[in-house]
Amino acid sequence: MRLDGSGGGQRLDVVFPVMHGTFGEDGTIQGLLDLAGLPFVGAGVLGSAIGMDKDVRSDCCRWPRFQWCPGSRCHRADWEKAPKDIQRSVERKFKYPVFVKPATLGSSVGMTKVHSREELAPALNLASEFAMKILVERAMVAREIEVAVLGNSEPAASIPGEIVPHREFYELRG
């Protein structure tokens, strides 16, 4: 089957890109579908890319009356060059526990909940295996509520759902 329906194949009317993680929800596949002229369900390139980059997303959501989890970013090159400086910087800004995570991956890939100084370096090493940019965020005790919003000109919200982790924090396991 050809995407445009030429050559006697079936034509696609709409694509449901229900792929998880890198290339599925970071705007890459959405850009490909845009280039192919195929309509698809879900956010476009910009919304997907912003949603996948936790650092950019948090910058976009820092409005005066919008509470956001305090965080800090570092780059893998800085961590590799001056690990003690990065550790001191994190400890000046936050008390333990903190979350260390790659900035540009979905869900819990490469993420660690760090409870002490001894756990910080291994967590930064793990996150740096997955991304050039690493986030460190203060751990917060909170409920995680998710809501889907459907529609464009007349958006409608779904019924809220709560994520209830069975471990210390919500993580996907393969």
Side-chain angles (χ1 to χ4, degrees):
M1 172 170 62
R2 299 180 71 157
L3 292 179
D4 64 0
S6 64
Q10 297 290 319
R11 175 152 175 39
L12 295 176
D13 294 319
V14 65
V15 176
F16 286 80
V18 289
M19 299 160 48
H20 184 67
T22 306
F23 307 122
E25 49 186 335
D26 64 358
T28 305
I29 196 73
Q30 292 83 353
L32 178 66
L33 294 169
D34 274 344
L35 285 171
L38 292 169
F40 58 91
V41 174
V45 175
L46 181 60
S48 298
I50 289 171
M52 191 69 155
D53 188 319
K54 297 172 189 77
D55 182 39
V56 172
R57 181 185 63 219
S58 65
D59 283 348
C60 290
C61 292
R62 290 193 194 283
W63 297 311
R65 292 173 32 169
F66 190 84
Q67 292 184 358
W68 199 258
C69 177
S72 178
R73 70 182 70 107
C74 75
H75 293 274
R76 179 169 60 194
D78 296 333
W79 166 243
E80 290 169 349
K81 249 189 304 192
K84 290 188 186 331
D85 292 343
I86 299 297
Q87 285 183 290
R88 274 193 295 274
S89 174
V90 167
E91 290 182 330
R92 274 195 305 269
K93 291 177 186 171
F94 306 109
K95 291 181 182 178
Y96 292 104
V98 296
F99 279 99
V100 176
K101 55 184 114 175
T104 54
L105 285 180
S107 300
S108 57
V109 176
M111 183 170 80
T112 307
K113 186 172 185 181
V114 176
H115 302 88
S116 67
R117 169 178 287 175
E118 294 75 32
E119 296 176 359
L120 184 58
L124 287 160
N125 285 332
L126 177 65
S128 70
E129 289 179 25
F130 294 96
M132 299 294 285
K133 191 169 38 170
I134 304 163
L135 290 183
V136 178
E137 295 177 333
R138 184 181 71 163
M140 300 180 73
V141 176
R143 293 172 65 195
E144 185 173 348
I145 310 294
E146 60 183 8
V147 177
V149 178
L150 305 172
N152 293 316
S153 58
E154 295 181 33
S158 70
I159 296 171
E162 182 171 6
I163 304 246
V164 181
H166 298 285
R167 295 180 179 84
E168 190 173 14
F169 64 93
Y170 179 70
E171 60 182 318
L172 294 177
R173 295 203 177 213

